[in-house]
Amino acid sequence: AQSVTQLGSHVSVSEGALVLLRCNYSSSVPPYLFWYVQYPNQGLQLLLKYTTGATLVKGINGFEAEFKKSETSFHLTKPSAHMSDAAEYFCAVSANTGGFKTIFGAGTRLFVKA
Amino acid sequence: DGGITQSPKYLFRKEGQNVTLSCEQNLNHDAMYWYRQDPGQGLRLIYYSQIVNDFQKGDIAEGYSVSREKKESFPLTVTSAQKNPTAFYLCASSTPGTSRNEQFFGPGTRLTVL
């Protein structure tokens, strides 16, 4: 079975500061990992994904995440926050266990202060 | 442009009424999903369908029903048996095998019970 834990339901950063959103997962088989972003009253949009290969993955809007198997983590980072990054972010894990099922974390709301 | 459409964007229901939320995709995806989103609770899976004429209950199926008569359509009915239906409803689709179950989301329907 898979599970996802996002540490911190709310994160606040100043504009220009580093963004770090934490995600830890549990999976009994090799996982596929995703970060999605949701703006108010909208659907989710894929930011980036890890399937196989390079463990540092780059996504849209300057975000990147690193898959660390030993730490079972997939933290999302961005070097410099912008006001437009304010949104809710969801980490998700999927695995082929005789069929794919995706488990979403509870989400982290990012606030960006001017 | 390929994508997922949901209608209506806002829906108001009186006590005891059934309402149907529409979800259509032209991405040629095999799988479709319905999620319910409440503040601070992330996404909870209501129903999913991997092929036409087949669907499975998710984690919170009670009070909901679905059909999958066409590949591109997956309507959700919120019945009067659902005691607390006020929420944001998201529809998604995917091609599980090749995409590792990367999901594409519609814009959502906000349902309010009057």
Side-chain angles (χ1 to χ4, degrees):
Chain A
Q2 296 86 45
S3 67
V4 177
T5 302
Q6 290 186 239
L7 299 177
S9 59
H10 298 84
V11 170
S12 182
V13 300
S14 298
E15 192 173 21
L18 171 71
V19 175
L20 171 60
L21 304 182
R22 300 178 186 273
C23 173
N24 288 91
Y25 70 90
S26 172
S27 179
S28 56
V29 297
Y32 306 113
L33 297 159
F34 307 86
W35 275 100
Y36 292 85
V37 61
Q38 184 183 34
Y39 298 100
N41 291 311
Q42 295 185 25
L44 276 67
Q45 178 185 4
L46 183 71
L47 269 181
L48 50 78
K49 62 184 177 183
Y50 167 79
T51 54
T52 58
T55 56
L56 181 63
V57 293
K58 296 185 184 298
I60 61 172
N61 302 336
F63 284 94
E64 63 182 35
E66 186 170 11
F67 169 58
K68 292 187 176 181
K69 184 178 179 180
S70 62
E71 298 178 10
T72 61
S73 69
F74 191 58
H75 301 332
L76 181 71
T77 61
K78 181 175 180 178
S80 176
H82 192 272
M83 297 296 288
S84 61
D85 294 326
E88 189 150 23
Y89 293 80
F90 293 92
C91 182
V93 62
S94 172
N96 189 0
T97 55
F100 284 90
K101 184 176 181 182
T102 298
I103 305 298
F104 288 84
T108 298
R109 183 165 295 279
L110 176 66
F111 297 91
V112 181
K113 299 175 292 186
Chain B
D1 289 336
I4 302 178
T5 57
Q6 291 185 243
S7 62
K9 186 169 180 62
Y10 298 96
L11 184 58
F12 298 91
R13 191 193 93 169
K14 294 182 180 179
E15 294 280 352
Q17 278 185 336
N18 292 354
V19 292
T20 297
L21 283 59
S22 171
C23 177
E24 303 275 335
Q25 56 101 357
N26 61 4
L27 299 168
N28 199 33
H29 285 169
D30 295 309
M32 296 187 74
Y33 311 81
W34 274 105
Y35 294 94
R36 171 179 171 142
Q37 187 176 25
D38 296 281
Q41 294 194 40
L43 277 66
R44 293 186 288 170
L45 182 64
I46 304 173
Y47 269 98
Y48 64 103
S49 168
Q50 295 182 315
I51 58 172
V52 175
N53 292 322
D54 187 47
F55 48 83
Q56 288 79 41
K57 293 182 179 179
D59 302 318
I60 56 164
E62 185 175 352
Y64 300 97
S65 66
V66 294
S67 63
R68 186 88 186 275
E69 297 177 0
K70 298 185 295 182
K71 187 176 184 178
E72 59 270 24
S73 178
F74 192 41
L76 173 74
T77 296
V78 184
T79 75
S80 57
Q82 171 49 240
K83 297 306 178 187
N84 185 23
T86 294
F88 191 53
Y89 291 86
L90 288 163
C91 180
S93 70
S94 73
T95 302
T98 56
S99 70
R100 308 295 191 253
N101 214 30
E102 171 189 343
Q103 297 192 10
F104 293 77
F105 285 82
T109 292
R110 185 166 297 281
L111 173 62
T112 303
V113 174
L114 301 175

